Amino acid sequence: MRFFSGKSAQTRWFKAILTALCATLLACSDNSSQKHLAQAKAKPDPYTIRFVTINSPSTYFIDSQNNYAGLEYDLAKRFVEFLGPPYKLEFIVVDSFDKVFPTLLRGDADIAAADISITPARKRQVLFGPAFNQVQAMVVYNRDKNNEPNTAEALFEKRIVLPKSTSFVERMRELQSKSPALTWKETDKLSSEQLIEAVARNEIDFTVADNHLVAIMQYNYPQLDAGMMLGQADKIAWALNKLHGEERLTQMQAFFKKIEKDGTLRNLLDRYHGHTKRLKPVDVTAFLSKSHTLLPKYVRLFKSAQEITDIDWRLLAALSYQESHWDNYSTSPTNVRGLMMLTEQTSNMMNVTDRLDPKQSVMAGAKFLLWMKDRIPSRIPEPDRTFMTLAAYNNGVGHLEDARIIAQKLGLNPDSWADVKRGYQLLNDPAYYVNARHGYCSCGAPVIYTELVRSYYQIMQKYFPTYDPGVDPYKIAETKMPWLLAKAS
């Protein structure tokens, strides 16, 4: 080994020390700069409201039209609109529920909006806003593979998996305190929706989920059912960080007070959950069966009708199923006939020569639906305008207008389907129908009809893709169709 000696050694030693010192200072300077940059980057924009959520049918998802949707999304969007400029909306979507609260508590999000149940344990962690929905935790099972679980003993030695850090785990622990033999596994890899699908496929025996999600999933998997309830019903609310959520809570309280008063909340709850209890499992099973046996013969006709009217072919197919169950030779006692169950008057209006001709029936039904939609005020937003169009297709636009007038007289919103349904249901009450322009109506029927079509359409959206015909030179550009109006007059 060589040792440095003399001036040369001293010089080299001094240079080495100086180099090391400079490197250390530079490193400290770089680290300090990086820390300042990280702090500057981490400082949130006070006018950007960051919501943390999860993907699910009841929170946040991209619908079949490639638009953002979900109850939590729609509420968040309206909250930011309520605050007004310069506030902006940002969504942070985490891949499992157990990441929602950590994201909120470390300051990466301002509000947690993920179908969150208010529980005593969570109230010690976070600050909750006003409750806007109520749900019930249910044991989910596959009726083809298991008996209905009505007791804790029915869950013993079963394959039970729950989503980690959810209120369902808290509920199961409460049950376990009385029945120590009860065991289960928890996962942060699968969502409630995925666990329900696992039950449907018999990969696990049971999971626990909220009743509204179970109702949605039953439309896709009719073999699913809900067994015993766990605990009392839970209230759903947004969560805030206790350290800096007081000001936001005040804004939140004002917002929910407003949308509850003006009917917006009622309308949104109806939009996502109002139709989910209409179909029984046997109805879903029959629909899915016929979608594989009968529907393929008519898919091309529904898509052709979409090319002309721009109405989603799956909605037309759902409407046709509700009308005829895709039985081309269906005929009612009142002599409405064919796939779209056209009346003689509608057939004449649409130049139909043979109502039992599938091509003529589907195209005429689609055009008539479009014509009905054009008679409904354009200010009515979607999807309410489509729902009202379906009701009018079933029972005429006159009764629809009477129902809207009644809703308005009740102080409700005549442009909201959730409120118009209430108007419809009063048209068999003499206190209301004697003053209605079109008189008495057994108008529970168009409400049920519309909700059933909505339900079938939801199933269609799950199992059948959208159809994009591209630019079609024959697509109707003007929906008023004066030639139809002339025939109708």
Side-chain angles (χ1 to χ4, degrees), residues 287-300:
F287 178 79
L288 291 173
S289 175
K290 290 181 179 179
S291 70
H292 289 94
T293 56
L294 295 178
L295 179 59
K297 295 190 292 184
Y298 306 119
V299 167
R300 181 62 256 173

Side-chain angles (χ1 to χ4, degrees), residues 52 100-112 126 239-241:
V52 59
V100 170
F101 283 105
T103 303
L104 176 71
L105 295 175
R106 67 172 174 260
D108 290 342
D110 304 297
I111 299 173
V126 298
L240 295 160
N241 193 318

Side-chain angles (χ1 to χ4, degrees), residues 187-401:
T187 178
D188 60 357
K189 305 300 183 185
L190 299 173
S191 65
S192 284
E193 184 180 2
Q194 291 170 316
L195 288 173
I196 293 173
E197 289 177 334
V199 172
R201 294 191 295 264
N202 196 38
E203 295 169 355
I204 59 176
D205 294 312
F206 304 119
T207 189
V208 179
D210 288 328
N211 59 325
H212 64 270
L213 181 58
V214 178
I216 292 172
M217 297 298 289
Q218 282 177 313
Y219 280 3
N220 302 327
Y221 304 99
Q223 68 270 39
L224 292 172
D225 211 338
M228 63 187 293
M229 297 186 295
L230 292 185
Q232 301 297 314
D234 289 324
K235 292 181 178 179
I236 301 296
W238 287 348
L240 295 160
N241 193 318
K242 282 188 173 183
L243 296 178
H244 44 73
E246 292 292 343
E247 181 182 353
R248 194 73 69 206
L249 177 62
T250 302
Q251 296 171 332
M252 200 181 289
Q253 289 168 335
F255 166 69
F256 278 103
K257 183 177 180 180
K258 175 183 179 297
I259 65 170
E260 186 170 4
K261 184 177 180 180
D262 67 18
T264 299
L265 178 59
R266 183 171 59 251
N267 194 32
L268 288 175
L269 290 171
D270 179 83
R271 179 175 301 179
Y272 289 103
H273 302 302
H275 64 293
T276 54
K277 296 179 181 178
R278 286 293 176 185
L279 293 183
K280 297 178 180 178
V282 65
D283 300 321
V284 179
T285 300
F287 178 79
L288 291 173
S289 175
K290 290 181 179 179
S291 70
H292 289 94
T293 56
L294 295 178
L295 179 59
K297 295 190 292 184
Y298 306 119
V299 167
R300 181 62 256 173
L301 297 181
F302 292 124
K303 290 182 176 180
S304 295
Q306 176 185 321
E307 292 174 3
I308 297 299
T309 63
D310 207 26
I311 298 173
D312 189 342
W313 77 272
R314 297 168 300 179
L315 178 60
L316 295 174
L319 173 65
S320 176
Y321 184 83
Q322 174 58 27
E323 288 285 356
S324 67
H325 284 203
W326 298 322
D327 177 2
N328 185 48
Y329 298 101
S330 181
T331 302
S332 79
T334 56
N335 199 34
V336 291
R337 310 184 73 185
L339 281 178
M340 304 298 276
M341 294 299 276
L342 303 176
T343 64
E344 289 187 27
Q345 182 182 4
T346 303
S347 298
N348 293 334
M349 183 179 174
M350 296 293 168
N351 292 324
V352 173
T353 58
D354 182 2
R355 285 182 286 166
L356 298 183
D357 177 359
K359 184 176 181 181
Q360 289 190 60
S361 182
V362 169
M363 193 61 71
K367 288 181 178 179
F368 185 66
L369 186 67
L370 182 64
W371 180 68
M372 276 290 183
K373 189 171 187 176
D374 187 64
R375 300 183 72 189
I376 295 170
S378 58
R379 70 173 181 274
I380 298 176
E382 289 292 357
D384 300 71
R385 192 164 180 234
T386 292
F387 300 158
M388 293 186 201
T389 302
L390 293 170
Y393 185 97
N394 173 254
N395 206 26
V397 74
H399 290 306
L400 170 65
E401 285 305 306

Side-chain angles (χ1 to χ4, degrees), residues 43-115:
K43 187 177 180 180
D45 175 1
Y47 296 108
T48 297
I49 313 298
R50 302 165 300 166
F51 284 81
V52 59
T53 192
I54 56 172
N55 281 120
S56 86
S58 55
T59 55
Y60 175 93
F61 61 94
I62 296 176
D63 66 18
S64 62
Q65 305 301 319
N66 210 33
N67 297 317
Y68 293 111
L71 179 60
E72 298 283 23
Y73 171 78
D74 280 350
L75 285 171
K77 181 180 176 183
R78 282 162 175 77
F79 177 61
V80 173
E81 290 171 352
F82 168 79
L83 295 179
Y87 285 96
K88 297 174 291 185
L89 172 65
E90 179 183 330
F91 260 96
I92 301 164
V93 184
V94 293
D95 57 14
S96 63
F97 187 88
D98 74 314
K99 296 179 182 177
V100 170
F101 283 105
T103 303
L104 176 71
L105 295 175
R106 67 172 174 260
D108 290 342
D110 304 297
I111 299 173
D115 211 15

Side-chain angles (χ1 to χ4, degrees), residues 113-179:
D115 211 15
I116 301 170
S117 299
I118 301 175
T119 68
R122 288 173 178 172
K123 288 174 77 172
R124 291 192 290 269
Q125 278 188 294
V126 298
L127 191 65
F128 280 106
F132 59 84
N133 199 8
Q134 184 169 293
V135 296
Q136 176 64 59
M138 313 284 290
V139 176
V140 186
Y141 72 103
N142 183 330
R143 77 167 66 85
D144 293 342
K145 303 296 180 180
N146 281 294
N147 294 324
E148 180 177 358
N150 287 320
T151 63
E153 288 73 19
L155 305 178
F156 291 174
E157 298 182 0
K158 294 289 187 177
R159 299 170 299 169
I160 304 172
V161 184
L162 307 178
K164 189 177 179 181
S165 302
T166 59
S167 60
F168 311 134
V169 175
E170 293 181 41
R171 294 300 189 199
M172 286 291 275
R173 285 173 182 161
E174 292 171 5
L175 187 61
Q176 188 185 49
S177 66
K178 302 173 184 177
S179 303

